[in-house]
Amino acid sequence: EAGVAQSPRYKIIEKRQSVAFWCNPISGHATLYWYQQILGQGPKLLIQFQNNGVVDDSQLPKDRFSAERLKGVDSTLKIQPAKLEDSAVYLCASSLEEQETFGSGTRLTVV
Amino acid sequence: DAKTTQPPSMDCAEGRAANLPCNHSTISGNEYVYWYRQIHSQGPQYIIHGLKNNETNEMASLIITEDRKSSTLILPHATLRDTAVYYCIVRALGDAGNNRKLIWGLGTSLAVNP
């Protein structure tokens, strides 16, 4: 089966600019996750969708981060405005039951 | 915070078994032990999970102690491609609220040497 697709693979922006990441999960996977992984740390969950509804966004910095999953399939994660500390890899994952499949991530550098 | 404790790094010779330990002394009765790994510049990859019985698949074996307070992931014949960070995570399944989500620690960086 095709994996979780993410784009872009890399992005460099200046602070205070905005950026968007795109994720296409595995077909039929109802649950979709966005994680932030700072260098040297494990991934941190930002938001979890079940179909197109939000299950958990408790760690999403809602003053600058937003995410949507229209029609319960693809998802976008946006940062506006970006800060230096947002430099990280943003991982998308999807799952059907008991295990998550991850994409390769988008590496964001904020300068 | 992560409910697991792992050594920060380990080395293993190519072709030998790699045994990665994990402590989870506060694990609840409905929580499973999950293992993922992350090869450099890639997303995490699911390896195996179990509740209380030992489990084996094509990638690895998972040995869980009888009291469930610790476990060991075994890669029976490590190759250079097994060099990665290995994460041990405890989580509930089903409708268990926040306990269902993956909370990642720092993992164990395994280096397989030729």
Side-chain angles (χ1 to χ4, degrees):
Chain A
E1 63 181 1
V4 175
Q6 287 190 248
S7 67
R9 190 75 173 90
Y10 303 94
K11 190 75 177 178
I12 301 174
I13 62 171
E14 295 183 349
K15 60 184 179 183
R16 291 187 290 273
Q17 285 187 321
S18 60
V19 64
F21 313 124
W22 174 82
C23 173
N24 179 235
I26 292 174
S27 177
H29 280 195
T31 309
L32 184 146
Y33 312 80
W34 283 102
Y35 288 85
Q36 179 193 60
Q37 186 172 25
I38 292 172
L39 187 65
Q41 299 181 17
K44 182 183 83 170
L45 179 68
L46 292 176
I47 189 167
Q48 176 184 343
F49 291 95
Q50 183 75 15
N51 296 308
N52 60 349
V54 175
V55 173
D56 183 351
D57 63 356
S58 57
Q59 297 192 93
L60 186 74
K62 299 180 186 62
D63 57 332
R64 298 185 300 107
F65 286 63
S66 64
E68 60 182 9
R69 189 183 185 196
L70 298 175
K71 300 180 181 178
V73 183
D74 292 6
S75 177
T76 56
L77 176 70
K78 297 179 181 177
I79 308 175
Q80 181 179 14
K83 293 185 176 181
L84 296 176
E85 59 260 37
D86 298 332
S87 293
V89 175
Y90 291 84
L91 295 161
C92 178
S94 68
S95 70
L96 185 60
E97 289 290 339
E98 299 180 338
Q99 64 199 56
E100 287 77 5
T101 302
F102 286 79
S104 297
T106 296
R107 181 176 297 277
L108 173 68
T109 303
V110 183
V111 298
Chain B
D1 289 345
K3 293 180 66 173
T4 60
T5 304
Q6 300 177 253
S9 63
M10 293 183 64
D11 286 294
C12 177
E14 188 178 18
R16 305 298 289 264
N19 298 295
L20 292 92
C22 180
N23 288 322
H24 30 80
S25 58
T26 61
I27 191 170
S28 301
N30 65 338
E31 288 181 317
Y32 288 71
V33 180
Y34 271 71
W35 284 83
Y36 285 78
R37 73 179 182 184
Q38 188 170 24
I39 295 170
H40 183 62
S41 295
Q42 297 184 21
Q45 176 190 23
Y46 166 82
I47 301 173
I48 198 167
H49 75 280
L51 183 62
K52 52 184 177 181
N53 297 324
N54 298 337
E55 302 287 345
T56 295
N57 62 20
E58 65 278 5
M59 290 183 69
S61 295
L62 174 59
I63 308 298
I64 303 174
T65 58
E66 193 168 339
D67 64 7
R68 303 210 321 124
K69 292 185 177 182
S70 65
S71 61
T72 302
L73 179 75
I74 301 173
L75 308 178
H77 305 287
T79 71
L80 299 179
R81 288 175 292 182
D82 293 321
T83 293
V85 178
Y86 287 76
Y87 295 95
C88 171
I89 303 166
V90 297
R91 55 115 54 120
L93 294 178
D95 252 348
N98 279 341
N99 286 339
R100 194 184 189 287
K101 67 183 179 185
L102 295 170
I103 299 176
W104 305 69
L106 297 178
T108 295
S109 179
L110 175 68
V112 180
N113 305 308

